[in-house]
Amino acid sequence: METYHAQMNCGQISYICDFFQDYQDDHVKTDLQSSNRVQAVFSVSTELEKDDAERHLKQVFKESKFGPGLYYSIKVL
């Protein structure tokens, strides 16, 4: 299992932090490392490759309650 860092940016970062704080599904597990007004960094434990993990995180949040209404970016480092 690999551990990556994911940098997430959004004007309403609290929604992303609330959603991904201790998030877990069949493919990823996330833990909040740090956050400020517009950016959060999460550790991401996964079996997926880096690019696939990034796509998965974007898709999961896009399908969430707030995902369709927010402008955000997610980059796995």
Side-chain angles (χ1 to χ4, degrees), residues 10-61:
C10 181
Q12 301 291 327
I13 198 68
S14 63
Y15 294 118
I16 289 180
C17 288
D18 290 346
F19 184 81
F20 281 114
Q21 186 172 3
D22 300 320
Y23 175 82
Q24 185 172 357
D25 65 22
D26 292 340
H27 302 288
V28 298
K29 179 179 185 220
T30 62
D31 292 305
L32 179 63
Q33 299 297 304
S34 65
S35 69
N36 61 35
R37 297 167 88 190
V38 296
Q39 183 181 82
V41 176
F42 291 84
S43 66
V44 180
S45 300
T46 183
E47 296 284 337
L48 300 173
E49 295 292 323
K50 186 170 129 175
D51 293 338
D52 293 332
E54 185 175 304
R55 271 191 294 282
H56 181 71
L57 292 171
K58 288 177 181 177
Q59 186 64 34
V60 164
F61 191 69

